[in-house]
Tab-separated table of all heavy atoms in Angstrom:
chain	number	residue	atom	x	y	z
A	73	ALA	N	87.796	32.669	5.255
A	73	ALA	CA	88.257	31.393	5.818
A	73	ALA	C	89.390	31.648	6.801
A	73	ALA	O	90.423	30.982	6.776
A	73	ALA	CB	88.704	30.461	4.696
A	74	CYS	N	89.165	32.621	7.658
A	74	CYS	CA	90.185	33.086	8.585
A	74	CYS	C	89.485	33.449	9.899
A	74	CYS	O	88.609	34.323	9.914
A	74	CYS	CB	90.871	34.313	7.992
A	74	CYS	SG	92.065	35.082	9.095
A	75	GLY	N	89.870	32.763	10.975
A	75	GLY	CA	89.255	33.033	12.265
A	75	GLY	C	89.501	34.454	12.714
A	75	GLY	O	88.644	35.088	13.342
A	76	THR	N	90.662	34.980	12.377
A	76	THR	CA	91.038	36.319	12.816
A	76	THR	C	90.167	37.378	12.136
A	76	THR	O	89.585	38.246	12.795
A	76	THR	CB	92.524	36.565	12.500
A	76	THR	OG1	93.275	35.505	13.083
A	76	THR	CG2	92.991	37.892	13.022
A	77	VAL	N	90.047	37.298	10.814
A	77	VAL	CA	89.198	38.250	10.085
A	77	VAL	C	87.756	38.104	10.557
A	77	VAL	O	87.062	39.084	10.826
A	77	VAL	CB	89.304	38.014	8.552
A	77	VAL	CG1	88.227	38.781	7.807
A	77	VAL	CG2	90.688	38.406	8.049
A	78	SER	N	87.296	36.857	10.713
A	78	SER	CA	85.906	36.611	11.127
A	78	SER	C	85.629	37.214	12.498
A	78	SER	O	84.533	37.693	12.767
A	78	SER	CB	85.628	35.112	11.179
A	78	SER	OG	85.855	34.516	9.927
A	79	SER	N	86.631	37.192	13.385
A	79	SER	CA	86.440	37.667	14.754
A	79	SER	C	86.495	39.182	14.872
A	79	SER	O	85.747	39.758	15.652
A	79	SER	CB	87.520	37.093	15.677
A	79	SER	OG	87.430	35.704	15.720
A	80	VAL	N	87.388	39.813	14.124
A	80	VAL	CA	87.585	41.254	14.369
A	80	VAL	C	87.230	42.153	13.180
A	80	VAL	O	87.160	43.368	13.344
A	80	VAL	CB	89.038	41.576	14.827
A	80	VAL	CG1	89.421	40.740	16.015
A	80	VAL	CG2	90.047	41.412	13.709
A	81	ALA	N	87.026	41.562	11.999
A	81	ALA	CA	86.814	42.415	10.824
A	81	ALA	C	85.543	42.051	10.066
A	81	ALA	O	85.416	42.363	8.885
A	81	ALA	CB	88.031	42.327	9.900
A	82	GLY	N	84.614	41.396	10.758
A	82	GLY	CA	83.362	40.983	10.109
A	82	GLY	C	82.600	42.178	9.546
A	82	GLY	O	81.896	42.059	8.545
A	83	ASP	N	82.764	43.361	10.168
A	83	ASP	CA	81.998	44.525	9.693
A	83	ASP	C	82.474	45.022	8.329
A	83	ASP	O	81.785	45.777	7.669
A	83	ASP	CB	81.998	45.657	10.729
A	83	ASP	CG	83.394	46.109	11.107
A	83	ASP	OD1	84.361	45.436	10.713
A	83	ASP	OD2	83.507	47.141	11.790
A	84	THR	N	83.651	44.564	7.867
A	84	THR	CA	84.098	44.957	6.515
A	84	THR	C	83.168	44.344	5.470
A	84	THR	O	83.164	44.762	4.321
A	84	THR	CB	85.543	44.484	6.217
A	84	THR	OG1	85.596	43.047	6.324
A	84	THR	CG2	86.551	45.091	7.161
A	85	ALA	N	82.404	43.330	5.897
A	85	ALA	CA	81.519	42.641	4.947
A	85	ALA	C	80.175	43.355	4.793
A	85	ALA	O	79.412	43.042	3.879
A	85	ALA	CB	81.289	41.216	5.418
A	86	LEU	N	79.907	44.317	5.669
A	86	LEU	CA	78.583	44.942	5.664
A	86	LEU	C	78.268	45.623	4.331
A	86	LEU	O	77.125	45.669	3.905
A	86	LEU	CB	78.461	45.945	6.816
A	86	LEU	CG	78.494	45.323	8.219
A	86	LEU	CD1	78.504	46.406	9.291
A	86	LEU	CD2	77.302	44.377	8.406
A	87	SER	N	79.317	46.157	3.681
A	87	SER	CA	79.062	46.880	2.421
A	87	SER	C	79.278	45.995	1.188
A	87	SER	O	79.255	46.487	0.058
A	87	SER	CB	79.999	48.093	2.359
A	87	SER	OG	81.328	47.647	2.553
A	88	LEU	N	79.491	44.696	1.397
A	88	LEU	CA	79.742	43.821	0.241
A	88	LEU	C	78.472	43.617	-0.582
A	88	LEU	O	77.384	43.456	-0.010
A	88	LEU	CB	80.245	42.451	0.698
A	88	LEU	CG	81.666	42.364	1.255
A	88	LEU	CD1	81.949	40.941	1.742
A	88	LEU	CD2	82.678	42.765	0.198
A	89	PRO	N	78.612	43.565	-1.902
A	89	PRO	CA	77.424	43.345	-2.746
A	89	PRO	C	77.033	41.870	-2.861
A	89	PRO	O	76.096	41.535	-3.573
A	89	PRO	CB	77.879	43.881	-4.112
A	89	PRO	CG	79.368	43.714	-4.108
A	89	PRO	CD	79.824	43.850	-2.689
A	90	VAL	N	77.786	40.974	-2.197
A	90	VAL	CA	77.471	39.531	-2.259
A	90	VAL	C	77.383	38.987	-0.831
A	90	VAL	O	77.939	39.587	0.098
A	90	VAL	CB	78.562	38.746	-3.042
A	90	VAL	CG1	78.620	39.168	-4.498
A	90	VAL	CG2	79.936	38.876	-2.377
A	91	PRO	N	76.714	37.830	-0.637
A	91	PRO	CA	76.643	37.243	0.710
A	91	PRO	C	78.034	36.903	1.255
A	91	PRO	O	78.958	36.596	0.491
A	91	PRO	CB	75.818	35.970	0.495
A	91	PRO	CG	75.072	36.191	-0.776
A	91	PRO	CD	75.933	37.059	-1.621
A	92	PHE	N	78.140	36.964	2.588
A	92	PHE	CA	79.437	36.778	3.255
A	92	PHE	C	79.287	35.712	4.332
A	92	PHE	O	78.295	35.693	5.074
A	92	PHE	CB	79.833	38.112	3.891
A	92	PHE	CG	81.060	38.066	4.753
A	92	PHE	CD1	82.328	38.127	4.183
A	92	PHE	CD2	80.967	37.990	6.146
A	92	PHE	CE1	83.466	38.103	4.975
A	92	PHE	CE2	82.101	37.972	6.945
A	92	PHE	CZ	83.355	38.028	6.359
A	93	PHE	N	80.259	34.826	4.432
A	93	PHE	CA	80.268	33.790	5.473
A	93	PHE	C	81.542	33.909	6.282
A	93	PHE	O	82.620	34.053	5.720
A	93	PHE	CB	80.177	32.381	4.859
A	93	PHE	CG	78.825	32.099	4.288
A	93	PHE	CD1	78.469	32.596	3.047
A	93	PHE	CD2	77.893	31.362	4.998
A	93	PHE	CE1	77.209	32.373	2.524
A	93	PHE	CE2	76.632	31.122	4.489
A	93	PHE	CZ	76.285	31.630	3.247
Side-chain angles (χ1 to χ4, degrees):
C74 175
T76 306
V77 168
S78 301
S79 298
V80 306
D83 57 350
T84 60
L86 294 174
S87 53
L88 288 176
V90 296
F92 173 82
F93 289 79

